[in-house]
Amino acid sequence: MLSGKAKLAGVIGWPVSHSKSPRLHGYWLEKHTIDGAYVPLAVKPDDLHAVVRGLVKAGFRGVNITVPHKENVMAVCDQISEQARRIGAVNTLVFHEDGSVHGMNTDGYGFLENLKQGPKSWHANSGPAVVLGAGGAARAVCAALLEAGAPEIHLLNRTVEKAEQVAKDLGSTVNVHSLTESAKWLPGAALLVNTTTLGMNGAEPLHLDLSPLAQTAVVTDIVYAPLETDLLKAAKARGNPTVDGLGMLLHQARPGFEAWFGVKPEVTPELRAFVLAEAP
Ligand code: ATR
């Protein structure tokens, strides 16, 4: 039950009805018996600025930002974290008492935390990473890997120019190749990450020959619908350690929850099961 002092947060997207965040934050609010609420906010792109400023005025603690607002919301922020600036997108806003809006990006944090809870054999400095895709998710993944100490990243994308822009923004240890060149770069990889939408329910499949990949390389997919993508299935079948993408979604939510509600929440098997149990 909410009191008049309830702490308020939410997620802004367009559309937003697919978002798992209200269920996820709702679970933590209940678990920690916090006097607070986290609500879905369907906001059209043209209304983004006014809504964010309105939520500040209404006393919200902050919000998550999802598709298609992650880049545009940067113009509304008074401060932007170094990492969000490097990635070029913001997914979490924290509203300060003076009315200023602080933008962060926790996708890379979520990606790394998820990997850390996976196979013990993986460390950022275990060797080169092969990252497929060059969208916003790839930017967050690459920035996080570099910050964690990955020695080298091979970024493979269908549209090579897009990957070149990512490399330009992130630094010289990102090497750019075409998605068709995986056989050349998989042999030395300690980590393989799919950040493309290929393999997602309703999207085209990802055709990738894993035979050049060492069996010790960790394979992870940021696609979590289906939870076990064809890539993860194939990797598991040949003995590679795998990490599914749901954990990234759950972990990226933790810093926002802590900033708004004052408790650092945990990602547990129960939480995973609860989020997965939601009707599609
Ligand atoms: P996000 O921000 O979630 O990462 P995005 O910016 O739409 O999403 O990026 C989608 C990624 O999937 C891109 O790397 C895209 O490749 P292009 O840059 O060449 O568009 C990749 N992708 C999507 N559909 C693809 C397809 N049919 N074949 C190859 N790559 C595809």
Side-chain angles (χ1 to χ4, degrees):
M1 200 69 81
L2 297 178
S3 81
K5 292 182 196 140
K7 297 167 180 158
L8 302 175
V11 53
I12 295 181
W14 183 260
V16 80
S17 53
H18 66 282
S19 174
K20 294 191 182 303
S21 296
R23 188 170 169 87
L24 162 58
H25 286 272
Y27 175 92
W28 282 330
L29 285 169
E30 205 172 302
K31 181 171 175 151
H32 295 285
T33 50
I34 290 170
D35 183 17
Y38 182 104
V39 293
L41 299 158
V43 176
K44 290 184 188 145
D46 282 351
D47 297 329
L48 181 65
H49 195 291
V51 168
V52 170
R53 287 293 157 193
L55 292 175
V56 172
K57 287 201 161 96
F60 270 58
R61 301 288 180 112
V63 282
N64 281 126
I65 302 291
T66 188
V67 178
H69 303 307
K70 286 187 183 186
E71 285 91 17
N72 290 341
V73 80
M74 294 177 83
V76 191
C77 296
D78 299 300
Q79 305 115 34
I80 294 173
S81 74
E82 176 63 32
Q83 200 183 38
R85 210 176 278 286
R86 284 182 80 201
I87 295 167
V90 158
N91 75 339
T92 305
L93 299 182
V94 177
F95 303 157
H96 291 150
E97 273 181 18
D98 63 0
S100 64
V101 173
H102 181 76
M104 317 188 285
N105 192 312
T106 63
D107 285 334
Y109 167 85
F111 171 76
L112 276 185
E113 286 295 301
N114 186 35
L115 266 190
K116 282 183 197 163
Q117 288 204 354
K120 293 260 186 303
S121 59
W122 185 84
H123 301 281
N125 57 7
S126 342
V130 169
V131 177
L132 311 178
R139 281 177 175 270
V141 163
C142 290
L145 285 173
L146 291 175
E147 215 174 278
E152 197 177 21
I153 293 177
H154 295 290
L155 187 59
L156 279 57
N157 198 41
R158 173 180 61 178
T159 313
V160 173
E161 298 76 41
K162 219 163 129 191
E164 272 164 358
Q165 189 57 50
V166 176
K168 202 170 145 207
D169 294 345
L170 294 182
S172 58
T173 43
V174 180
N175 306 300
V176 171
H177 317 283
S178 161
L179 196 53
T180 56
E181 289 182 288
S182 60
K184 209 160 153 188
W185 305 106
L186 286 180
L191 175 71
L192 169 64
V193 189
N194 175 44
T195 76
T196 74
T197 46
L198 298 173
M200 194 185 280
N201 284 337
E204 288 174 47
L206 169 66
H207 296 293
L208 191 74
D209 176 13
L210 289 181
S211 57
L213 188 69
Q215 230 178 31
T216 50
V218 175
V219 179
T220 184
D221 203 325
I222 72 158
V223 170
Y224 59 83
L227 192 58
E228 187 171 63
T229 59
D230 286 345
L231 171 67
L232 295 180
K233 220 179 271 175
K236 210 179 259 180
R238 64 194 294 281
N240 288 86
T242 61
V243 180
D244 70 51
L246 181 65
M248 176 173 171
L249 173 82
L250 305 181
H251 281 283
Q252 64 75 32
R254 293 169 65 209
F257 189 93
E258 184 180 18
W260 308 320
F261 301 116
V263 174
K264 185 149 198 180
E266 293 301 322
V267 170
T268 58
E270 292 72 31
L271 173 64
R272 272 178 70 91
F274 180 78
V275 171
L276 284 172
E278 183 177 28

